[in-house]
Structures are given as C-alpha cells and as structure tokens.
Amino acid sequence: MTSASPPRWQAGPLLADPLPMTLRVYQTLTAGVAPLAPLLIRRRLKQGKEEPSRVDERRGVAAHVRPHGPLVWIHGASVGEVLAAAGLIERLRALNLRILLTSGTVTSAEVVAKRFPPDIIHQFIPYDAPRFVERFLDHWQPSLALFIESDLWPNLILASAARRLPMVLINGRMSPRSFPRWQRASATIGTLLGKFDICLAQSQMDAQRFAALGSPNVVTTGNLKMDVDPPPGDPARLERLMAVTRGRPVIVAASTHPGEEEILLDVHRTLAGVFPTLLTVIVPRHPHRGEQVANLVQAAGLQPALRSREQLPTAATAIYVADTMGELGLFYRLAPIVFMGGSLIEHGGQNPIEAVKLGASIVHGPHVANFSEVYRALDEAHGAFMAADVDTLVRRFGHLLSDAPARQASIDAATRVVERLGGALDRTITALEPYLLQLQIEQGAANA
C-alpha cells in the first residue's frame, strides 16, 4: 500500500499557548541528548530491554508503510495496558479501522505478536526526543490518538497537539502515590492533560484526581481490564500438566517480584508439613528471573523445576518455576488458588481479573493500590483474601486447600464482583462515538 494522509490530519504550526518552564527545559534537554540515543540503545540491548532488529523504531523510524485512510493510534506502556485495549481494538477492527499499536517493552511486543490479529501494526514508542517524535508523527499521521492509563510523554503529547491530532486518555488511572507528586508539578501536568479532548477514567476517584490536575473534560467509564477475555491456555499442555500433578494440591503465585519469592518459599515449607504433596508454581513477573528464583528455591532446601528448560514437575518437585512468556492462562486453569504478586512489596499489586475469570480463589498482600477498587470489592465480598505476612498466608492457603466448599464460595463471590464491575468497554465506545463516526466518514471517502 502507498502512504496516504487522512483528511482530518492538519500539520500546523506549534500551539501558541505558553509552556511552563519545566516543559520548555524538558524540550531543550531532550533535544540535546538525542545524539546520545545510540549509547542508551546499546545499554538497553545488553539489559534485554530492546529488540535488536527493531531499535530504529526508538528513533521514530517506521518499520511499516502507513496504510491508506484513517489510522487509529493506541499507546500503552506495557503488557497490562496493551491487553486492556484488546476488546477495544476488536471493536475498532469491526468498523474497518486500521490500528497502530505502540508500547514500550519487549514483553508487550511479544504479547502483541502472540495474541493480536496480524493486521494490527505494532511499533515501539519512540524515545521522547523532539526529532524522534516528529519523525514518528510525520510518517504515521494518525487520525485519532488513544493513550491508555497514564503513560504521558511530554514531547509526544505536545507535538501531537500542535498538529491538532484529537487525543483521548482512556482507562485513565491516577494512583494515590502519583497524585501528590503531580500536584507539586501542577502547571506541568495541567498543561499536558489540557491537550486531551477528554479523559475516560477508571473510577470516580481517578476522575476526581484528573479533574483536580487540570483535565478539562473527565468521564468515568470504568476499568477496561474488567472486560478483557481470560488468557488462552494450550489444551495439550494443560492436559500434560494436569496428568503429572493429578492428586496434588496446587497453588499458583502469579507475577511475583523480588522479595516475594522468599516469603512464598517460607509459606510452602510450613504448608508442606500439613500438605506433604503440595506443589507451588511460581510465575515470576519477569521470566528472565527464572534462574534466580530457582537458586532461591535450592537455597531454601526445596527441589525446583524450570519450565524454560522444558522440565515438568515430578513427585520430588516442590516448586515449579514457570519462567516462560504467555502461559499464565495455563496455570490459572491448573490451580484453584492463586496468589497475586506485586502485593507483598510496595509495587501496587497485579491484576486479579484474569485469574478470577478462570475460576481461581484469590489471595493477595496489602499493597494493591494499582487495582484498589477491584481488590476492595473482592475482599468485601469474600472473593479474595488479604494476607500481609507468612503466618496469615499460611492460614489463608491452608483454609482454602482444606475446605473445598469455602474455596468454591469465594470463587463464586469473585465471579459476581467481576461481572458487576464490567461494562467499561461499552461505555468507552460510547464516549468515543463522535470520533469514530468521523473516522468512518473519512474511511468511506478514502475508499471512494
């Protein structure tokens, strides 16, 4: 296909609004450090944070030709945000709109390749230097920009606004930790948020925070992650896992972070005194930590097995380290009890919705600010249980392992909560209807 500019695209002069000093300094600094991008890229390549064949995308160099007609650009920071947009992307595809999906992590790119239709164009978001941003926008010329949650890059937003690109913040979230920090930089965040046509917030509290920080038009639509389909699980692989674990009680610790595995190993050792055949599956948030986690298991006097080495748990395996990409759906289907990681440390907790949808009873730590509304509703309904230390975790797991009716009651309660909190996708589409109608008109004109 040849590159084509949609009718709504207007590349105009920079906006006349004076910028706060912080943003002017930021623009100057990022313009000055752009020549150092190769050094940053080399460092990130060594850390495994870049895809070697795609590093040019970080400088705004496109890997694909822009498709003809209107193009909807969706940006999410990483895996969680990208998956939150899955349902929305399907709705947009049903309207015959082309999608450019950008993200910032190698893991998110792998997820897009595995779980999204092949017609979705994925690019890494460029580094936020003016020349890279302009190169990116010059090539893609999007017709509508949808930013997910709160990954707000100043040059990207200011350059898009200067080109009169309609921008919407969707699934907007402002955490209790971020809000006071942004309040201290109110002129900066107020300027950036003021460039968005509308902010679609996850909750009433998020909406209040965005409004207080300067969003001129805020609507509460709910959390898109509540409407995401559960992750897939390969039936043949699931059957093999079920065969080798049949008769054993199984707990899955999902998306764990450093500092949590040690606690969970202490919990396992204590529980094994009551449930001798217990198998704990640890799924590290970052799979490259698999070897590190296995070393912790061995140091604790327990027998590990690593999925990345294509090992299956044996009768001697106490801890199965599931250090592979894209298999959480498999392990959620395997175990009726799931501990959600990122919650025993001050990370903010991981999303419990997928585990709930696949029939798991949820246990979590006290640090769940990233999904506070969801966890509060689950806890109040006894669909999830909070545990802050080893002793409490042992009691929670022990109760759920030994009392099948209580476990099923918590699963049923959690399912009802998730169903009640759903509907964000429909509300988001409704809020976007004026933009989508215009794009459909342009699509018709482009095809004429």
Side-chain angles (χ1 to χ4, degrees):
M1 292 184 181
T2 59
S3 179
S5 301
R8 299 185 78 219
W9 177 266
Q10 301 179 51
L14 290 175
L15 297 182
D17 298 342
L19 294 178
M21 177 63 73
T22 51
L23 289 175
R24 283 184 278 145
V25 170
Y26 178 85
Q27 287 183 321
T28 301
L29 290 176
T30 51
V33 301
L36 301 178
L39 296 176
L40 175 61
I41 289 173
R42 281 199 294 271
R43 180 183 177 186
R44 288 175 59 84
L45 282 169
K46 290 180 180 178
Q47 296 171 333
K49 294 181 178 180
E50 296 290 355
E51 173 58 47
S53 64
R54 299 179 61 180
V55 293
D56 283 348
E57 294 173 32
R58 294 299 199 176
R59 293 189 286 263
V61 178
H64 300 272
V65 173
R66 187 201 186 281
H68 184 67
L71 182 68
V72 180
W73 168 30
I74 300 175
H75 173 66
S78 190
V79 174
E81 293 79 16
V82 165
L83 290 177
L88 177 61
I89 287 171
E90 281 305 305
R91 296 283 188 94
L92 297 178
R93 289 179 72 243
L95 299 175
N96 294 318
L97 294 173
R98 295 302 305 271
I99 309 295
L100 169 67
L101 179 60
T102 59
S103 61
T105 65
V106 172
T107 306
S108 62
E110 292 171 350
V111 168
V112 172
K114 287 181 178 179
R115 295 182 57 175
F116 283 67
D119 59 284
I120 301 302
I121 304 170
H122 178 267
Q123 297 280 269
F124 285 112
I125 197 72
Y127 294 147
D128 200 44
R131 71 171 73 171
F132 301 154
V133 166
E134 294 293 342
R135 185 182 292 155
F136 172 87
L137 292 173
D138 283 344
H139 177 83
W140 291 110
Q141 301 184 20
S143 313
L144 172 66
L146 306 177
F147 287 74
I148 305 170
E149 292 199 7
S150 57
D151 196 43
L152 308 179
W153 293 100
N155 286 327
L156 198 64
I157 291 170
L158 295 173
S160 297
R163 296 169 182 246
R164 303 182 181 91
L165 169 63
M167 293 186 291
V168 179
L169 186 63
I170 65 172
N171 218 43
R173 181 174 69 88
M174 183 61 62
S175 74
R177 295 177 63 186
S178 298
F179 181 56
R181 289 201 295 264
W182 278 121
Q183 281 183 307
R184 293 191 290 271
S186 57
T188 301
I189 189 63
T191 298
L192 296 177
L193 291 176
K195 305 303 182 187
F196 287 86
D197 291 19
I198 186 171
C199 169
L200 306 181
Q202 290 187 17
S203 69
Q204 190 61 42
M205 181 59 70
D206 289 311
Q208 292 172 3
R209 290 170 180 158
F210 277 112
L213 292 174
S215 289
N217 186 12
V218 186
V219 176
T220 302
T221 49
N223 190 343
L224 284 173
K225 292 178 181 178
M226 304 296 293
D227 294 339
V228 171
D229 290 335
D234 181 84
R237 293 181 181 180
L238 178 60
E239 178 55 37
R240 284 196 295 273
L241 280 171
M242 293 181 70
V244 298
T245 60
R246 190 162 287 121
R248 299 183 66 176
V250 181
I251 294 172
V252 165
S255 299
T256 59
H257 293 251
E260 293 186 306
E261 289 95 2
E262 295 90 339
I263 297 172
L264 293 164
L265 293 178
D266 286 343
V267 171
H268 178 94
R269 278 200 303 257
T270 303
L271 285 171
V274 181
F275 306 94
T277 61
L278 175 67
L279 176 68
T280 297
V281 179
I282 294 180
V283 187
R285 176 67 173 170
H286 302 290
H288 67 82
R289 294 186 56 245
E291 293 281 350
Q292 176 188 344
V293 175
N295 290 337
L296 290 174
V297 175
Q298 289 180 321
L302 299 170
Q303 179 66 46
L306 273 80
R307 188 156 182 84
S308 62
R309 295 180 183 171
E310 299 185 355
Q311 297 171 348
L312 288 173
T314 68
T317 304
I319 308 294
Y320 192 39
V321 182
D323 54 339
T324 51
M325 273 294 302
E327 291 196 309
L328 256 181
L330 196 65
F331 294 103
Y332 286 159
R333 288 172 170 85
L334 177 70
I337 303 168
V338 171
F339 169 80
M340 295 307 308
S343 61
L344 289 173
I345 58 169
E346 293 188 6
H347 175 78
Q350 302 297 154
N351 181 7
I353 304 307
E354 293 180 336
V356 170
K357 289 187 174 182
L358 289 174
S361 182
I362 305 298
V363 179
H364 62 89
H367 304 292
V368 291
N370 292 343
F371 300 92
S372 56
E373 182 183 20
V374 176
Y375 278 107
R376 187 182 306 112
L378 288 171
D379 289 350
E380 289 175 353
H382 304 293
F385 304 95
M386 194 274 281
D389 52 40
V390 171
D391 290 341
T392 312
L393 283 165
V394 169
R395 288 198 301 272
R396 296 296 195 197
F397 286 137
H399 174 64
L400 293 171
L401 286 168
S402 61
D403 192 335
R407 184 173 66 240
Q408 187 60 50
S410 74
I411 292 170
D412 293 342
T415 301
R416 289 192 294 270
V417 168
V418 169
E419 290 174 350
R420 173 168 57 84
L421 293 178
L425 177 56
D426 287 338
R427 291 187 288 271
T428 298
I429 289 293
T430 297
L432 294 176
E433 275 181 354
Y435 303 95
L436 302 181
L437 178 60
Q438 178 64 34
L439 293 183
Q440 287 181 285
I441 292 172
E442 294 169 10
Q443 182 73 64
N447 293 335

